[in-house]
Amino acid sequence: EVDAHAYTLHVHAYDSGGFRSYFPAQATVVLQDVDDCPPRFAQPVYHASICENNPVPVVLTTVQALDCDVSPHFRRLEFSTLSALVSIHPLTGTITALQSFDYEADHGPSYAFNITVSSSNDPQHFDTAVVSLAVTDA
């Protein structure tokens, strides 16, 4: 399943000798898209806020990314994070809190964690962004 663009070349060859022969020919060139564009987050930092003592699970935000490859086959993106505080849906980019946050915690009223988006066809094509989470006092 690869998008291809076909171009037809028409070649006309003439013999300038005594017979004045004419030789038409046709060649088709097919260009195929390859997975050469890494995905990019729509912004480098996403900001979210949540009131302390939140219910679990609760959606914090949804992130977006784009891939400039032409073929839909190469634009399949997967989101991920290594943070234990949240989960991210691999296809939609929806980030959900996995714990209840406390404004007065030793960590302070803010958290930051990294998220990654990668091309599902080539894990070497990826981008990262930061989610900054502010916890508000109840």
Side-chain angles (χ1 to χ4, degrees), residues 70-127:
V70 173
S71 171
H73 178 70
F74 296 132
R75 289 190 306 222
R76 292 185 193 137
L77 303 178
E78 293 181 7
F79 298 96
S80 62
T81 184
L82 296 177
S83 174
L85 304 174
V86 298
S87 67
I88 186 167
H89 190 282
L91 302 179
T92 66
T94 299
I95 299 174
T96 304
L98 296 178
Q99 71 176 46
S100 184
F101 293 93
D102 182 7
Y103 181 82
E104 291 84 11
D106 291 338
H107 188 278
S110 65
Y111 297 82
F113 51 90
N114 293 326
I115 54 175
T116 302
V117 63
S118 61
S119 295
S120 60
N121 299 302
D122 186 351
Q124 300 304 314
H125 288 172
F126 68 93
D127 192 21

Side-chain angles (χ1 to χ4, degrees), residues 37-42 64-69 75 77 79 117 127:
C37 293
R40 293 286 178 232
F41 275 105
Q64 296 179 338
L66 299 172
D67 190 318
C68 68
D69 284 306
R75 289 190 306 222
L77 303 178
F79 298 96
V117 63
D127 192 21

Side-chain angles (χ1 to χ4, degrees), residues 48-69:
S49 64
I50 191 166
C51 187
E52 70 175 334
N53 304 319
N54 57 284
V56 175
V58 64
V59 172
L60 298 174
T61 190
T62 299
V63 297
Q64 296 179 338
L66 299 172
D67 190 318
C68 68
D69 284 306

Side-chain angles (χ1 to χ4, degrees), residues 7-13 22-28:
Y7 298 91
T8 303
L9 301 174
H10 298 278
V11 180
H12 302 276
Y22 168 72
F23 303 99
Q26 182 175 314
T28 301

